[in-house]
Amino acid sequence: MLCRELYTSTLPPFSKDQPPPGSLAGDADAPRHWHLGHQALDLGEIFRPEITLAVMQRRIDAALKLAVQAQLYGSYPLNIRWRGPISEICHMLERYLPAPEAGEAIIGDISLLGAAMGELFEVDDVGLRLEVTQRAMCPRFHVDKIPVRMVTTYQGPGTQWLPEEAADRLALGHGQYGHQDVCINPEQIRELRLGSLALLKGECWPGNEGRGLIHRSPVVPNGKRMMLSLDPG
């Protein structure tokens, strides 16, 4: 019953239409390459050529917090990597979550996010990664060699990213001679809020080569971090 109700639920509205000029906040000297908002339609800003990060800021409610805590201390460590039809996400989570009997809220949230990815990018399948860690998975600033990825953090610190002016792209990967640090201004390191939904544009997005969002996993000083990533198609 739960899976059927989730898959037939009405999704929040999205928009791929470009908003009128001036709708994005920007610095005085240069327009920002990110967009922060509180509505589902804010995620549609990722279709603007200049935008490499679109964020829908949200809070995790009490029911979702309880479901997350149950998975953190389930019968085995949470580490799911899966690719398949969006319509099967709910059933997959019911099978592989450490504490599925207490997971209704997180199953519902992830299933709806998968459906949203399908609507936004017109795909039927997604690649999904849901895991709990106690260390940074990708501690070095990097760019993804994919078109786009959605990330959200259910527990612990959020993904960190760099504004373009705070980064040295020549230091990415193995780095070029004389370019050692990707981050040239640590004071400008940004961190996504707990629960926020973020679309990160990668190097393989059409026309975005050399402009993929520079980001990394945060240090987890205490406790555990639970994060979700979704790739369309």
Side-chain angles (χ1 to χ4, degrees):
M1 176 64 73
L2 172 63
C3 289
R4 185 170 69 250
E5 289 176 351
L6 289 173
Y7 193 61
T8 57
S9 294
T10 301
L11 293 172
F14 291 88
S15 174
K16 300 179 185 179
D17 296 329
Q18 294 190 10
S23 63
L24 293 179
D27 296 321
D29 297 326
R32 292 179 178 176
H33 60 90
W34 66 92
H35 176 85
L36 308 179
H38 296 86
Q39 306 293 327
L41 59 84
D42 287 299
L43 293 175
E45 294 290 322
I46 199 66
F47 290 96
R48 294 184 65 126
E50 70 272 23
I51 296 298
T52 58
L53 172 68
V55 180
M56 173 187 168
Q57 298 181 113
R58 63 169 189 166
R59 296 183 182 275
I60 293 180
D61 63 25
L64 187 50
K65 286 181 180 179
L66 289 174
V68 167
Q69 290 299 312
Q71 310 315 310
L72 291 175
Y73 302 101
S75 57
Y76 51 86
L78 174 59
N79 187 351
I80 298 174
R81 293 172 184 264
W82 177 86
R83 182 175 296 276
I86 293 168
S87 60
E88 294 297 318
I89 290 177
C90 180
H91 297 292
M92 180 274 295
L93 292 173
E94 288 178 339
R95 180 178 180 183
Y96 293 116
L97 282 179
E101 71 285 351
E104 180 174 344
I106 193 168
I107 291 172
D109 193 63
I110 295 173
S111 297
L112 287 177
L113 294 182
M117 289 289 280
E119 178 179 314
L120 194 58
F121 296 105
E122 300 178 352
V123 295
D124 296 321
D125 298 342
V126 292
L128 180 151
R129 184 178 70 184
L130 178 66
E131 55 191 340
V132 173
T133 64
Q134 292 181 282
R135 59 182 178 82
M137 293 179 295
C138 303
R140 181 175 169 81
F141 279 111
H142 65 282
V143 296
D144 291 331
K145 303 295 184 179
I146 58 172
V148 67
R149 172 169 289 158
M150 176 184 281
V151 300
T152 190
T153 303
Y154 289 111
Q155 171 77 24
T159 299
Q160 295 179 336
W161 59 279
L162 289 176
E164 203 61 37
E165 63 271 17
D168 179 4
R169 286 190 175 271
L170 295 179
L172 288 169
H174 296 294
Q176 296 187 22
Y177 180 77
H179 298 268
Q180 298 181 345
D181 296 321
V182 177
C183 178
I184 58 178
N185 187 349
E187 293 184 356
Q188 291 198 50
I189 295 175
R190 311 292 179 90
E191 185 171 294
L192 296 173
R193 296 179 184 176
L194 179 70
S196 289
L197 307 178
L199 288 172
L200 285 58
K201 194 177 284 183
E203 293 284 295
C204 296
W205 182 283
N208 199 58
E209 183 177 358
R211 295 187 63 249
L213 184 78
I214 299 174
H215 64 285
R216 72 178 180 186
S217 299
V219 173
V220 186
N222 298 296
K224 300 179 179 180
R225 178 178 187 245
M226 181 191 292
M227 65 84 61
L228 168 75
S229 70
L230 292 170
D231 298 347

